[in-house]
Amino acid sequence: MRRIAFLCLTVAALVASSQPSWAWGGRGHRIVAAIAMQLIPKKAAKLDIVLRQLEIDNNFIDAASYPDEYVRSHDREHAMSPWHFADLPDDNTPFVCNNCLFDALGKNLDIVSQNRGDKENAQAISWVIHLVGDMHQPLHMDGRLRGGNDFPVTYRGKKTCKSYSGRPTKVELHSVWDDCLVEELSAGRSPQQMAKALLGKIRSHKGRPEVAGTDPKPW
């Protein structure tokens, strides 16, 4: 539990919807994991061994997209779709989490804390990495216009932009965050190269007051 909580705090310190859309594209999620791996390489390496049990994306960096790239196609009941977002109110009304991202993060942290090293443990690790990324995609924390999916825009004057898969994606406000901005910023660089560039001279999560607590809601 302490190991994975440390991972969450690290990523939350450095990674700055009502529609179950992919939060960050595949590259964005992998960059989140690559940041964590560069800051806590020994801990990430231990988790990497457990993640080898996954059907695809079975390493620490690629596992960040396992919930999108594998689980979605096998979740026929769409039971896990609400896990990817939390509709935080922008007024003074109380926030109620009904099987939302915060519930899912807690559930998976509980599984990881059992430290069984089995496939369920591997899946839970991938969910934790993934959900910390989702939580830092702003439109996954806002339910208006289905998290921006119903807000059509253009990007660089175009109605489509490149996605991680290489296929063009339709541009709306949500996909601008997921794909357009990340792909342009990356300019073909790998998640590891991007993590190094984003980290700059930062070598530790320590001294980051914004993640002083372990409750993810303030993050």
Side-chain angles (χ1 to χ4, degrees), residues 113-132:
S113 69
Q114 298 172 23
N115 200 29
R116 297 194 307 266
D118 57 10
K119 185 176 179 180
E120 184 182 19
N121 190 234
Q123 292 171 331
I125 293 168
S126 74
W127 270 108
V128 170
I129 302 170
H130 182 87
L131 293 175
V132 172

Side-chain angles (χ1 to χ4, degrees), residues 61-190:
I61 291 177
D62 290 333
S65 282
Y66 177 83
D68 280 343
E69 296 171 2
Y70 183 83
V71 175
R72 281 184 184 277
S73 63
H74 293 76
D75 180 20
R76 304 302 182 188
E77 303 297 324
H78 302 290
M80 297 176 183
S81 291
W83 286 14
H84 296 264
F85 58 89
D87 293 343
L88 299 177
D90 55 3
D91 52 26
N92 293 322
T93 58
F95 169 64
V96 178
C97 179
N98 182 17
N99 197 34
C100 76
L101 185 152
F102 298 120
D103 285 341
L105 184 57
K107 290 175 183 177
N108 283 283
L109 281 170
D110 287 343
I111 295 172
V112 173
S113 69
Q114 298 172 23
N115 200 29
R116 297 194 307 266
D118 57 10
K119 185 176 179 180
E120 184 182 19
N121 190 234
Q123 292 171 331
I125 293 168
S126 74
W127 270 108
V128 170
I129 302 170
H130 182 87
L131 293 175
V132 172
D134 277 0
M135 183 165 44
H136 290 83
Q137 207 278 41
L139 294 171
H140 275 251
M141 296 288 105
D142 193 330
R144 290 173 296 179
L145 295 175
R146 295 193 312 130
N149 282 283
D150 289 341
F151 192 161
V153 295
T154 59
Y155 187 77
R156 303 296 190 191
K158 298 181 180 179
K159 294 183 178 180
T160 64
C161 72
K162 182 181 178 182
S163 67
Y164 178 70
S165 68
R167 298 188 297 270
T169 185
K170 182 180 178 181
V171 175
E172 20 74 0
L173 189 59
H174 196 112
S175 65
V176 167
W177 280 93
D178 280 359
D179 293 300
C180 307
L181 289 167
V182 177
E183 290 300 318
E184 180 174 325
L185 179 65
S186 298
R189 287 177 288 181
S190 69

